[in-house]
């Protein structure tokens, strides 16, 4: 979510304009034990399957001819695990940093069966010029746990010119591109927890929590453009009029879409269909081997790739990368960003977390993965000298992006590196693969990770001292 963005924050170029935010027709359930190593008795032999009661979402986006506006519809079928009195959706496009760049979402209509009144909004620290950060659809009476409710929403987006965020479009005399992600009202539920109503982040970062949802995604765009999006859609036939892309996504916490005259290459890496579109063929060809390497090396470390496909859009913008299930928006061409964002396919896309309350559970793990693959460890002494608790909420940082990135990413990754050294790399790597397999498609808490590494008391002590574990 953040939702999903990731350049190493202690690099000067990243801090200048970093966008450190973040599927398919089937779900991968490959073996969870490391090659050549026996899994423990408690280690699953395959990834857990998505919850059969997960929300089912049908999304449509229609991109305007000038790529500056998008109209959308959303149909949701939702079965809560406890009694509820309303539906709550998060409006990510209304965060203050995003609106300052000219982006926003406007909900035009929202209805639900069991409805008991007109929908309303709460601010949740969204930009004050917007409807708000949270959409509420009330019921006439409480809905019991296990009862499926449906809702239909209609909305439109405005995309800001040269906005280097999860929303934006180019604004120049050259080729036109547009991109949007976390663009729909996002149902803000977590099983065992309830509604997530945390405030919006006040700097470019994720602050959403969403379950893996069975998602049907349809995007209509101008006929001359290509769409790079979550899922693995087939290109429609050429047309002088609008063209439509469609994907059925078995388990996606969110989706991304990019539109423009991309130069596209399709290839297969370790059985994963890799589609890479870029604004030039030269950049496309430079990035294909980087993402191929990322997939191959991360599969060896964490288990089979979570999705049958990965779609990457390299945009003519600067910033970093933004991860989404089976898709990545690239605003930077570096190999570090390629590995980091690909690692998010395991940590966030498959093993979910509350990006508002426990962002280190995906960002520190993606940074740690980047450092293992590229042999770029954190500077010596960082863990002991860095203030702040790794397991701090996004909201607790206020507007201090620098401390958020430094503590959540760098200190978090340093703590994981030190814990691995204390446990022994081989045993630690096996335990981490078991953690991934056991928690596939769930939303984890720090206690889930502590349970996975409980056999390494020295590693637990390191993470506790860093404030990653309670």
């Amino acid at each position: 979510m953040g939702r999903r963005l990731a350049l190493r924050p202690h690099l000067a170029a990243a801090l200048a304009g970093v966008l450190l935010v973040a599927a398919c027709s089937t779900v991968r359930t490959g073996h969870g034990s490391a090659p050549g190593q026996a899994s423990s008795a408690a280690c699953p032999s395959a990834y857990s399957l998505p919850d059969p009661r997960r929300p089912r979402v049908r999304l449509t986006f229609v991109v305007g001819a000038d790529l500056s506006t998008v109209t959308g519809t959303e149909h949701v079928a939702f079965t809560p695990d406890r009694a509820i009195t309303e539906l709550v959706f998060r409006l990510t496009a209304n965060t203050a940093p995003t609106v300052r760049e000219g982006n926003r979402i406007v909900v035009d209509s929202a209805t639900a069966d069991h409805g008991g009144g007109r929908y309303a909004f709460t601010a949740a620290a969204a930009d004050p010029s917007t409807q708000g950060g949270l959409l509420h659809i009330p019921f006439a009476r409480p809905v019991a746990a296990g009862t499926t409710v449906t809702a239909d929403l209609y909305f439109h987006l405005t995309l800001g010119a040269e906005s280097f965020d999860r929303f934006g479009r180019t604004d120049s005399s050259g080729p036109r591109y547009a991109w949007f992600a976390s663009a729909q009202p996002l149902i803000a539920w977590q099983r065992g927890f309830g509604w997530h109503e945390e405030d919006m982040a006040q700097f470019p970062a994720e602050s959403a929590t969403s379950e893996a949802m069975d998602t049907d995604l349809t995007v209509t765009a101008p006929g001359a453009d290509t769409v790079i999006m979550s899922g693995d859609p087939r290109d429609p036939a050429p047309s002088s009029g609008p063209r439509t892309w469609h994907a059925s996504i078995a388990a996606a916490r969110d989706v991304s879409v990019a539109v423009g005259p991309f130069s596209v290459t399709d290839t297969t890496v370790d059985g994963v269909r890799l589609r890479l579109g870029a604004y030039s063929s030269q950049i496309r060809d430079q990035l294909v081997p980087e993402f191929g390497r990322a997939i191959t090396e991360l599969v060896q470390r964490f288990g089979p790739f979570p999705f049958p496909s990965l779609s990457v859009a390299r945009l003519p913008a600067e910033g970093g990368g933004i991860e989404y299930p089976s898709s990545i928006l690239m605003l930077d061409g570096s190999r570090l960003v390629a590995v980091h964002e690909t690692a998010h396919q395991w940590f966030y896309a498959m093993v979910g977390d509350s990006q508002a309350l426990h962002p280190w559970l995906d960002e520190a793990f993606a940074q740690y993965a980047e450092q293992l693959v590229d042999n770029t460890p954190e500077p010596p002494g960082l863990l002991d000298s860095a203030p702040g608790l790794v397991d701090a909420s996004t909201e607790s940082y206020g507007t201090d992006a620098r401390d958020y990135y430094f503590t959540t990413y760098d200190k978090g990754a340093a703590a994981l590196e030190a814990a691995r050294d204390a446990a022994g790399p081989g045993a630690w790597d096996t335990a981490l693969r078991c953690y991934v397999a056991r928690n596939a498609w769930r939303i984890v808490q720090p206690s889930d990770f502590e349970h996975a590494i409980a056999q390494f008391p020295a590693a637990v002590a390191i993470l506790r001292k860093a404030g990653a574990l309670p």
Side-chain angles (χ1 to χ4, degrees):
M1 65 160 188
R3 191 2 144 296
R4 193 326 190 53
L5 306 165
L7 275 177
R8 299 184 67 182
H10 58 268
L11 298 176
L15 282 173
V18 69
L19 302 175
L20 299 169
V21 187
C24 44
S25 58
T26 58
V27 170
R28 296 208 162 196
T29 58
H31 293 293
S33 57
Q37 293 180 320
S39 60
S40 68
C43 186
S45 61
Y47 294 157
S48 300
L49 292 173
D51 193 326
R53 303 163 300 169
R54 64 192 181 279
R56 299 183 183 276
V57 178
R58 185 168 67 244
L59 281 171
T60 68
F61 294 109
V62 179
V63 183
D66 64 356
L67 305 190
S68 67
T69 59
V70 181
T71 58
T73 68
E74 180 177 12
H75 176 80
V76 176
F78 171 63
T79 308
D81 58 334
R82 61 179 65 180
I84 57 174
T85 60
E86 63 176 349
L87 295 175
V88 180
F89 296 82
R90 195 168 190 84
L91 305 177
T92 301
N94 286 345
T95 61
T98 297
V99 173
R100 283 197 296 267
E101 297 291 340
N103 309 285
R104 71 178 58 226
I105 182 173
V106 174
V107 176
D108 302 303
S109 174
T111 59
D113 56 2
H114 304 279
R118 181 170 171 78
Y119 60 90
F121 302 90
T122 53
D127 189 274
S129 70
T130 67
Q131 290 174 320
L134 297 172
L135 164 67
H136 303 260
I137 307 177
F139 298 143
R141 61 188 59 85
V143 171
T147 302
T148 299
V149 296
T150 63
D152 288 283
L153 297 85
Y154 299 83
F155 57 93
H156 66 271
L157 304 164
T158 301
L159 302 180
E162 305 293 350
S163 172
F164 304 146
D165 197 342
R166 57 176 71 82
F167 303 88
R169 61 181 171 86
T170 56
D171 184 27
S172 66
S173 59
R176 304 168 312 146
Y177 294 85
W179 55 96
F180 49 96
S182 300
Q184 75 283 7
L186 188 64
I187 193 161
W189 183 262
Q190 178 183 341
R191 294 184 184 279
F193 179 94
W195 296 117
H196 276 273
E197 300 184 59
E198 295 85 13
D199 281 352
M200 300 287 183
Q202 298 304 300
F203 48 86
E206 297 96 338
S207 57
T209 306
S210 54
E211 296 194 326
M213 295 172 280
D214 187 331
T215 304
D216 185 272
L217 174 62
T218 301
V219 178
T220 300
D225 290 320
T226 295
V227 172
I228 308 291
M229 70 186 207
S230 298
D232 188 27
R234 301 277 74 84
D235 289 329
S239 171
S240 58
R243 296 194 295 164
T244 298
W245 280 256
H246 174 261
S248 295
I249 308 168
R253 303 185 190 281
D254 207 341
V255 297
S256 74
V257 177
V259 180
F262 290 102
S263 176
V264 177
T265 290
D266 293 297
T267 188
T268 300
V269 180
D270 290 344
V272 179
R273 296 185 296 276
L274 173 63
R275 162 161 281 207
L276 202 148
Y279 61 91
S280 81
S281 57
Q282 180 182 8
I283 291 175
R284 177 202 67 197
D285 292 342
Q286 290 172 350
L287 283 175
V288 168
E290 294 297 347
F291 277 95
R293 178 183 69 96
I295 291 170
T296 297
E297 297 204 23
L298 292 169
V299 163
Q300 293 173 354
R301 291 191 177 276
F302 302 127
F305 197 78
F307 303 96
S309 66
L310 177 64
S311 297
V312 180
R314 173 59 168 107
L315 299 157
E318 298 299 328
I322 314 172
E323 76 280 358
Y324 285 87
S326 87
S327 63
I328 295 170
L329 300 179
M330 287 288 286
L331 301 138
D332 183 282
S334 78
R335 64 187 300 165
L336 296 178
V337 175
V339 175
H340 184 113
E341 303 308 338
T342 304
H344 274 304
Q345 300 303 310
W346 284 266
F347 304 105
Y348 155 69
M350 187 169 69
V351 179
D353 61 283
S354 170
Q355 297 173 310
L357 301 179
H358 308 292
W360 82 279
L361 287 172
D362 67 272
E363 294 298 358
F365 279 78
Q367 180 106 334
Y368 160 84
E370 167 195 319
Q371 292 163 5
L372 287 180
V373 170
D374 287 309
N375 192 26
T376 56
E378 295 293 348
L382 180 147
L383 185 59
D384 292 329
S385 62
L389 303 177
V390 169
D391 185 36
S393 69
T394 305
E395 182 180 351
S396 69
Y397 289 92
T399 60
D400 193 344
R402 182 180 294 270
D403 275 1
Y404 167 79
Y405 298 138
F406 181 71
T407 305
T408 304
Y409 290 63
D410 291 352
K411 185 176 180 179
L416 290 170
E417 292 171 12
R420 182 175 188 257
D421 290 341
W428 174 270
D429 292 350
T430 297
L432 188 52
R433 289 174 66 97
C434 292
Y435 164 77
V436 168
R438 183 176 297 110
N439 292 290
W441 316 114
R442 295 183 58 234
I443 295 175
V444 296
Q445 308 295 323
S447 58
D448 294 306
F449 185 59
E450 182 175 6
H451 176 74
I453 60 167
Q455 67 271 39
F456 310 123
V460 171
I462 289 169
L463 290 163
R464 188 165 287 135
K465 181 180 178 181
L469 298 177

